[in-house]
Amino acid sequence: MKRLVFILFTLLAIGIQAQNRPYADEKPVHFGFSLGLNFMSFATPTIVDPIDGKEYHARVSSLTPGFSVGFITDVRLSRHLNLRLTPSLHFGAPTVTYHAEPSTGDDRYYATTSLPITIPLLLKWSAERERNYRPYLIGGGGARFECMSRNEKDPIRQKVVDCFVEVGAGCDFYFPWFKLCPQLTYSIGFLDALAQPIGTSVDPDKKIFHTSLAGLINHQLTLSFNFE
């Protein structure tokens, strides 16, 4: 991480010496790729009916970083507005914590694994360029396809298809051969992503992880570095 930060600051120091790629934003279409970190979470509305005399309240107690990679297609609409299609693959493993009430100190934990493909269609509004940097805002929505919800024995399975809205901000830094664009986005699913178990396939010892949930809403914070 220290080496990565050093390299980024070195590139920025080199890039501000002169105006680089003065006509880069005038291309009608350009492409790129993205690498980044994601932090997946769930909104977990719970069922208040007691189970074995206890009420279990579920939530994601910690944010574990995952990895993201994607492809960028950018279409210029006007001087300040661009349309972007950025299909991406994300890997994450959020852990859901179940707190029992009345408290007995026997909280339960379940680590999920998620591998979604997201296909967002976004509008990017950019400010005026100042030498070699140009801040921007971005927003839109898209579809999410979960690739890891195939095991019927998992107590927490996500539906294959979800939809989401996404907002974020970033800044374009211009270098002689490419643009580096650090970007922070936040997406919220607006469908219930919790898949119902099939028959009695779920392990009885783990069934509580599902029966305590009334739904599952995807949330994701992504820090990406776009190369265009």
Side-chain angles (χ1 to χ4, degrees):
M1 181 60 70
K2 291 181 179 180
R3 291 181 180 178
L4 177 61
V5 172
F6 175 76
I7 292 172
L8 291 176
F9 275 103
T10 301
L11 289 174
L12 291 178
I14 296 173
I16 62 175
Q17 298 301 318
Q19 188 176 40
N20 299 315
R21 307 190 69 201
Y23 306 108
D25 295 331
E26 296 183 8
K27 293 181 178 180
V29 180
H30 71 265
F31 304 95
F33 67 93
S34 174
L35 301 173
L37 298 175
N38 67 69
F39 299 86
M40 295 184 185
S41 182
F42 302 123
T44 52
T46 55
I47 297 174
V48 296
D49 295 334
I51 301 173
D52 298 331
K54 304 173 187 176
E55 292 181 3
Y56 286 90
H57 299 269
R59 65 184 180 90
V60 177
S61 56
S62 61
L63 296 179
T64 303
F67 180 72
S68 300
V69 59
F71 183 77
I72 300 167
T73 300
D74 185 285
V75 179
R76 185 177 187 267
L77 300 180
S78 66
R79 180 182 178 87
H80 295 281
L81 196 63
N82 294 62
L83 181 67
R84 292 165 71 86
L85 181 66
T86 58
S88 303
L89 176 67
H90 311 273
F91 179 82
T95 298
V96 183
T97 303
Y98 294 78
H99 294 284
E101 294 184 5
S103 179
T104 57
D106 60 347
D107 292 347
R108 295 187 167 193
Y109 305 89
Y110 185 78
T112 66
T113 300
S114 185
L115 186 67
I117 295 174
T118 59
I119 306 179
L121 186 63
L122 307 169
L123 285 174
K124 174 184 176 183
W125 181 86
S126 302
E128 285 292 338
R129 176 175 173 174
E130 295 291 339
R131 291 184 65 83
N132 288 321
Y133 68 90
R134 191 181 191 188
Y136 62 85
L137 299 175
I138 197 165
R144 172 188 175 111
F145 302 92
E146 179 59 57
C147 302
M148 292 292 289
S149 292
R150 300 291 186 270
N151 190 347
E152 298 177 0
K153 295 184 179 180
D154 289 341
I156 300 180
R157 293 192 308 116
Q158 294 188 56
K159 295 177 181 177
V160 175
V161 180
D162 191 11
C163 298
F164 64 90
V165 294
E166 183 170 287
V167 295
C171 188
D172 293 334
F173 292 95
Y174 298 79
F175 297 96
W177 301 283
F178 63 92
K179 285 196 303 181
L180 172 64
C181 318
Q183 176 179 288
L184 186 66
T185 56
Y186 186 67
S187 64
I188 303 176
F190 54 86
L191 299 177
D192 180 7
L194 182 64
Q196 296 300 317
I198 300 176
T200 58
S201 57
V202 176
D203 186 340
D205 293 335
K206 297 181 179 179
K207 193 173 182 179
I208 190 175
F209 296 133
H210 178 88
T211 55
S212 299
L213 295 176
L216 203 66
I217 304 298
N218 282 302
H219 290 233
Q220 182 171 314
L221 180 69
T222 306
L223 173 62
S224 56
F225 295 92
N226 303 333
F227 297 83
E228 305 177 32

